[in-house]
Each structure stands twice: as C-alpha cells, then as structure tokens.
C-alpha cells in the first residue's frame, strides 16, 4: 500500500503573486473548480487581508469547492487571522495558514526582533487561529535558511499549540536537495510531538531545484507538497504540481502516491496559462508543447518502432492525445514515411529516397515541415 502525499495547490496565492498574473474573482473561481476536479487536497485560495478583491475570492471559492480543503494565508497577526476566518466561513473544510519568518535574517532584519519573541508570536498565532478553525497550518518562513535546532523548537511549540501541519518553506530556493532532505529528517527525528502533525514541503525554484527538493522532502518523511500549476510563483516560481505528481506516479519504488487525476494535467495547465496570460515554455516537463515531440531522426525512428524507447510517460496519462513526430532538417526517412502515410501517401523505398532529397532541400530553408507542405514536396520529387 502506497503512502499518500497531499497536494496543496497555491496557484491562486503564491502563483498569483507573479507580476502581470493577477486574476479576477470569476477567473479564480474557474481555476478553483478545475483544481477541485483535478483532485488536489488543499486549495490555497488567497491572502484575505491583502485586498478586498482577495477576500472576496477566498469567500466565493469557499462556496463552490466541493472536495478540497480551502485555505487562506495570514501573517502571525490577529487581524489577518480574523479576516481569513471570515473569508473561510462558507468552506466545507477550512484551513488557516499562519506563520512567521524564522531565519536569522528574517528575525533581525524583517522583524528587528529576537528568536524568543518570534517563538512567542508563532505560538500565539496558532492558539488564536485554533479558537476558530480546527485545521491550522503553520509556516516557518525562510525555514530553508533557519537553524535546525531553532526550527525544531518552534515546530514542537506550535504543534503543542494545535498546529496540524508544519510547513517548511525554502522561501529563497537556496537549499540543495540533500540539505532540504536532511532538514526534514532532522525534524522527523528531533521534534518529539511530530507524530501529531504533517510536515509540508514548500520550495521555490531560484536555483531550479524546487521539484528535486520537494521530492527529497517526501522521501525524508514529509507528507504534503505545496506547488503550483506550471510551477508559476514568486521570482523563478514554485514547485510545479505536474512534475511532482508525475515523478511519484512514475517511480513505483518510492511507494508514494497522490489523489491527482493526471489525465486532467494538460487541460488544467492550459487553463491557468490562458487565464493568467503566462505562456508555458515549450520544453517544460509534462505540459510543455515539446514534452512529447520528437524531432531528431534517431529518436523518431526509435519512437515509431516503440514509443517507450524515448518516452518514460504515456502521453495519454497526462491528457496529451499522442506523441508527435515533428519534421525538421534533422528528421530521417522513417519520420518522413510515417508522416506521409498519415496523410495518405504510402511511399515505397525508392519513392521515399526521392522524396527525402526533396524534403531535405525544403527543410533546410524552413524551421518545420508541416502536413500541408508534404503534398507539394512529394509532387516536386516526381515519383
Ligand atoms: O515562500 C514562502 O515562504 C511562502 C510562505 C508565506 C508560506 O510562500
Ligand atoms: Zn512561497
């Protein structure tokens, strides 16, 4: 039996913090409903105190989401918590996400405070939240650069105060996978009441390690991953939902699983991309336009003979109809014959040789050869 990893989606909160990606409530509602059918366990719908618009979005999302918990972010500030509690009042399963910066840099420069006072504020915020909402997640902002002993102490105290989830954000995306994994293991082994809470990974992608760090986190004992569709988020983004979900699906030996209906990954990615006006890079893992496209002759020949020679994921599993064989000047005869046959030209070996020379001449002058170019090329070959 595989262990379940909860997927906490923060597309509508951390993801929406991307400049130019701001959404209106009705757009957020569409995404929230999509995330709910995708099977995410928690939807972080916004930061209610940050603006009246965000408050309204969290309120409306709480009304329509059927299965997932709906979560609102706060600082460790009573008024933030009051506002979030109000915004979550219609949620079937409300979760309050409160926290404070715990690294030396945050304590000294952001709060001009001391570790003792930060600890006190953290415990107070959790205790106060628990008066209204049972499910309270605590985040130790900049945990990636927080001293492990202090992090363990703060985790123990907030769990005593009632926190159900302990979020360990690598806020600046600084950690290496082994370091982040060791941090999670340290908490598993040194926080004496850790069995009363779930550890959550929240990783940023400043060094391109968000996915690797989250996976190392769950290998080390965390049971929740915070992520966004297409990996959007502050600066270089957050952990990409589709990547972590497919890694866990493809690697049976990890014995970890999620509730995500992976067949909806591509359409969810496209919806978020369109509504946020944020193009998905073509080489993006899982959902990029080239994720299942093959253009070099050697690869094409392999894929045409047996898809698995160059693909580790069945495209249908993520909602892509089929792998594509793209015709370029790097393509070989096998790809040309395959594509020509698809549009009704079953070429003999001799015919193919002739068409192939004509094809290369055309392909060298063009980035890609499309189905509509092929009849012309075949005609010019005079077969
Ligand atoms: O990156 C971060 O530390 C956050 C917290 C507010 C959870 O987004
Ligand atoms: Zn974040």
């Amino acid at each position: 039996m595989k262990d379940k990893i909860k997927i906490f989606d923060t597309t509508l909160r951390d993801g929406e913090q991307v400049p130019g990606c701001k959404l209106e409530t009705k757009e957020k509602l569409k995404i929230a409903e999509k995330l709910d059918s995708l099977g995410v366990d928690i939807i972080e719908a916004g930061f209610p105190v940050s603006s009246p618009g965000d408050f309204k979005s969290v309120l409306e999302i709480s009304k329509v989401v059927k299965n997932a918990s709906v979560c609102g972010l706060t600082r460790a500030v009573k008024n933030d918590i009051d506002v979030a509690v109000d915004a979550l009042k219609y949620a079937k399963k409300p979760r309050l996400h409160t926290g404070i910066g715990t690294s030396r840099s945050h304590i000294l420069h952001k709060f001009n405070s001391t570790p003792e006072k930060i600890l006190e504020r953290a415990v107070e915020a959790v205790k106060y939240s628990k008066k209204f909402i049972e499910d309270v997640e605590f985040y130790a902002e900049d945990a990636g650069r927080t001293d492990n002993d202090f992090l363990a102490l703060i985790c123990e105290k907030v769990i005593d105060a009632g926190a159900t989830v302990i979020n360990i954000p690598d806020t600046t995306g600084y950690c290496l996978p082994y370091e982040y994994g060791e941090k999670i293991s340290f908490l598993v082994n040194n926080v004496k009441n850790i069995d009363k809470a779930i550890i959550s990974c929240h990783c940023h992608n400043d060094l391109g390690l968000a996915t690797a760090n989250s996976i190392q986190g769950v290998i080390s004992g965390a049971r929740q991953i915070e992520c966004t569709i297409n990996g959007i988020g502050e600066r270089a983004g957050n952990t990409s939902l589709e990547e972590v979900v497919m890694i866990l699906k493809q690697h049976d030996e990890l014995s970890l699983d999620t509730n995500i209906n992976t067949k909806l990954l591509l359409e969810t990615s496209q919806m978020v991309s369109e509504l946020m006006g944020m193009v998905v890079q073509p080489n993006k893992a899982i959902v990029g336009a080239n994720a299942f496209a093959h253009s070099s002759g050697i690869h094409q020949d392999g894929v045409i003979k047996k898809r698995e020679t160059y693909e580790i994921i069945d495209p249908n599993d993520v909602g892509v109809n089929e792998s594509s064989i793209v015709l370029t000047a790097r393509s070989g005869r096998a790809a040309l014959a395959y594509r020509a046959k698809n549009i009704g030209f079953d070429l003999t070996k001799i015919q193919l040789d002739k068409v192939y020379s004509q094809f290369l001449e055309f392909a060298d002058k063009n980035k890609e050869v499309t189905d509509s170019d092929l009849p012309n090329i075949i005609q010019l070959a005079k077969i």
Side-chain angles (χ1 to χ4, degrees):
M1 179 77 173
K2 292 186 173 183
D3 253 13
K4 276 276 181 241
I5 300 299
K6 286 191 188 289
I7 295 296
F8 175 115
D9 181 278
T10 183
T11 305
L12 298 176
R13 199 278 297 169
D14 228 345
E16 205 235 11
Q17 289 176 207
V18 175
C21 283
K22 209 198 137 316
L23 297 173
E24 311 221 334
T25 298
K26 62 176 187 309
E27 296 164 329
K28 283 194 165 192
L29 278 167
K30 274 193 195 163
I31 294 179
E33 286 184 301
K34 192 70 166 180
L35 292 171
D36 204 23
S37 33
L38 181 65
V40 310
D41 300 282
I42 303 104
I43 297 174
E44 187 163 52
F47 182 11
V49 84
S50 66
S51 75
D54 225 35
F55 177 90
K56 185 172 164 225
S57 296
V58 177
L59 190 81
E60 297 303 325
I61 288 170
S62 296
K63 290 180 191 164
V64 300
V65 168
K66 295 191 180 75
N67 305 308
S69 297
V70 178
C71 177
L73 183 80
T74 80
R75 294 166 296 178
V77 170
K78 276 191 175 171
N79 183 53
D80 282 27
I81 296 169
D82 289 337
V83 174
V85 168
D86 195 20
L88 290 167
K89 66 185 168 214
Y90 298 118
K92 287 197 181 66
K93 292 189 258 172
R95 175 177 292 183
L96 199 128
H97 191 190
T98 190
I100 195 160
T102 54
S103 65
R104 193 181 139 75
S105 149
H106 280 227
I107 296 173
L108 288 181
H109 307 301
K110 208 167 109 174
F111 299 112
N112 188 21
S113 186
T114 62
E116 294 71 26
K117 285 187 187 142
I118 293 294
L119 183 60
E120 209 178 293
R121 275 186 67 183
V123 170
E124 259 176 39
V126 173
K127 277 193 179 153
Y128 187 66
S129 307
K130 287 291 278 193
K131 289 187 182 175
F132 313 101
I133 290 182
E134 168 48 32
D135 189 8
V136 174
E137 172 168 341
F138 173 79
Y139 65 85
E141 196 182 5
D142 205 14
R145 294 186 300 171
T146 297
D147 167 71
N148 282 348
D149 288 318
F150 181 58
L151 192 58
L153 175 68
I154 208 161
C155 287
E156 185 186 320
K157 298 295 177 199
V158 296
I159 294 172
D160 270 346
T164 47
V165 181
I166 299 295
N167 179 10
I168 308 300
D170 183 22
T171 305
T172 58
Y174 177 73
C175 287
L176 293 170
Y178 84 90
E179 270 178 297
Y180 190 75
E182 280 178 7
K183 197 172 272 292
I184 302 297
S185 300
F186 185 87
L187 298 176
V188 170
N189 296 321
N190 292 281
V191 176
K192 66 173 189 294
N193 51 3
I194 200 68
D195 57 309
K196 298 198 171 58
I198 288 177
I199 301 179
S200 182
C201 307
H202 178 115
C203 297
H204 279 265
N205 207 29
D206 299 66
L207 292 172
L209 291 171
T211 293
N213 284 348
S214 300
I215 294 297
Q216 199 57 49
V218 292
I219 289 173
S220 306
R223 285 295 173 266
Q224 177 176 288
I225 295 179
E226 310 202 358
C227 45
T228 60
I229 300 294
N230 301 332
I232 58 164
E234 285 272 356
R235 308 180 307 281
N238 287 58
T239 300
S240 147
L241 181 148
E242 53 281 2
E243 291 174 15
V244 287
V245 165
M246 289 312 292
I247 290 169
L248 298 182
K249 186 171 165 71
Q250 298 305 113
H251 282 271
D252 239 10
E253 75 281 12
L254 295 178
S255 243
L256 299 171
D257 203 2
T258 69
N259 288 325
I260 298 296
N261 175 359
T262 62
K263 290 191 189 298
L264 298 182
L265 284 173
L266 181 67
E267 59 184 69
T268 309
S269 156
Q270 288 172 341
M271 174 193 260
V272 168
S273 164
E274 274 159 35
L275 290 174
M276 289 197 163
M278 181 97 166
V279 176
V280 177
Q281 70 193 63
N283 59 327
K284 169 81 180 62
I286 322 295
V287 291
N290 292 347
F292 296 94
H294 305 273
S295 84
S296 93
I298 297 172
H299 290 210
Q300 292 176 327
D301 183 46
V303 171
I304 291 167
K305 286 176 176 146
K306 190 165 170 62
R307 189 188 58 73
E308 288 85 347
T309 47
Y310 284 97
E311 277 182 3
I312 58 156
I313 298 171
D314 181 340
N316 289 306
D317 281 353
V318 299
V320 175
N321 284 342
E322 55 179 359
S323 326
S324 52
I325 300 292
V326 182
L327 292 180
T328 71
R330 303 292 150 258
S331 298
R333 285 174 175 73
L336 177 60
Y338 172 84
R339 285 278 298 271
K341 194 171 176 189
N342 274 356
I343 57 163
F345 296 94
D346 204 352
L347 304 172
T348 64
K349 194 176 170 318
I350 295 166
Q351 287 172 326
L352 181 60
D353 283 344
K354 284 190 180 165
V355 176
Y356 188 61
S357 326
Q358 200 63 47
F359 162 80
L360 283 182
E361 224 174 278
F362 183 89
D364 263 338
K365 296 186 199 109
N366 295 276
K367 284 202 183 340
E368 199 183 318
V369 182
T370 65
D371 279 353
S372 57
D373 299 320
L374 281 181
N376 219 7
I377 292 170
I378 292 169
Q379 202 186 9
L380 286 170
K382 299 195 175 81
I383 53 174

